[in-house]
């Protein structure tokens, strides 16, 4: 593989720093949770889950990826979004994934990163308890597209079956919401 120049490595480094900051913020949250209700200092309050800082970092990663538009940068941004998702920080995952989906699709709709971005965004939209009907509809559309592409490109697999089950759950939830709306 060809070496990555410094300009192309910048978004990868920025995404790595973002992942590290996510981990540090969550470690700080865990430490705060063990203080048995002791009053937080001003420093603890500032450091605790700094969402504004995370969103600033998201903007920087997004801008870096847009400027460089390479596979490594997009993959690093998707890794950062996956980290947000795993930590149940869905708003941040959605923001980063919505920003990265066009760049990933720019590599080709059947590119592995485009498929991964679509799958991650579908999960980030569907997973929150407060997901709106519009979010679930969008998640269903994205996941249906991902399943179609993966089926055509890779064929049957356990991962594909898991996605099909998730899509069935989305369909059932939408049907239940429609039934409840019809009752009123």
């Amino acid at each position: 593989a060809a070496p990555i120049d410094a300009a192309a490595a910048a978004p990868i480094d920025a995404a790595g720093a973002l992942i590290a900051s996510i981990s540090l913020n969550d470690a700080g949250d865990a430490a705060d949770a063990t203080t048995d209700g002791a009053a937080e200092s001003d420093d603890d309050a500032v450091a605790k889950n700094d969402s504004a800082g995370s969103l600033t970092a998201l903007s920087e990663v997004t801008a870096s990826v847009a400027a460089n538009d390479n596979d490594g940068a997009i993959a690093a941004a998707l890794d950062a979004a996956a980290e947000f998702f795993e930590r149940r920080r869905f708003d941040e995952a959605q923001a980063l994934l919505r920003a990265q989906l066009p760049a990933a699709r720019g590599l080709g709709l059947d590119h592995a990163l485009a498929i991964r971005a679509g799958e991650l965004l579908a999960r980030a939209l569907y997973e929150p308890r407060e997901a709106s009907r519009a979010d679930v509809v969008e998640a269903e559309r994205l996941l249906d597209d991902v399943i179609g592409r993966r089926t055509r490109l890779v064929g049957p697999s356990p991962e594909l079956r898991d996605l099909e089950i998730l899509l069935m759950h989305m369909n059932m939830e939408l049907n239940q919401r429609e039934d409840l709306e019809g009752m009123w």
Side-chain angles (χ1 to χ4, degrees):
I4 298 176
D5 65 22
I12 298 169
D13 293 342
L18 177 58
I19 291 171
S21 75
I22 296 165
S23 299
L24 288 174
N25 283 343
D26 287 345
D29 290 347
D32 290 340
T34 62
T35 61
D36 293 330
E40 286 184 345
S41 72
D42 289 343
D43 291 341
D44 290 338
V46 169
K48 186 177 179 184
N49 201 2
D50 181 11
S51 293
S54 293
L55 292 176
T56 300
L58 281 175
S59 297
E60 291 170 5
V61 169
T62 301
S64 294
V65 171
N68 292 287
D69 205 19
N70 64 54
D71 292 15
I74 294 168
L78 295 181
D79 288 344
E83 188 71 23
F84 279 130
F85 177 81
E86 288 300 317
R87 297 184 186 280
R88 306 193 64 72
R89 292 168 63 174
F90 300 117
D91 290 341
E92 292 160 312
Q94 289 173 18
L96 185 53
L97 289 163
R98 285 186 190 284
Q100 297 313 310
L101 191 59
R105 286 183 170 167
L107 299 171
L109 293 177
D110 290 340
H111 193 282
L113 292 175
I115 292 170
R116 181 173 180 230
E119 178 185 342
L120 286 171
L121 181 54
R123 289 177 181 274
L125 288 167
Y126 176 69
E127 191 71 27
R129 287 189 182 135
E130 67 278 359
S132 68
R133 184 179 192 295
D135 287 342
V136 177
V137 168
E138 183 180 359
E140 180 188 38
R141 181 187 54 77
L142 285 165
L143 194 59
D144 188 51
D145 180 66
V146 165
I147 289 170
R149 290 180 190 289
R150 285 190 64 161
T151 300
R152 189 171 40 79
L153 295 169
V154 181
S157 70
E159 295 83 13
L160 184 60
R161 182 67 187 140
D162 290 344
L163 293 177
E164 291 169 338
I165 291 169
L166 179 59
L167 183 61
M168 287 189 314
H169 284 280
M170 288 178 186
N171 289 328
M172 288 188 310
E173 182 169 333
L174 286 172
N175 288 335
Q176 288 173 348
R177 287 181 183 205
E178 287 174 6
D179 289 346
L180 289 174
E181 289 171 4
M183 296 174 83
W184 306 108

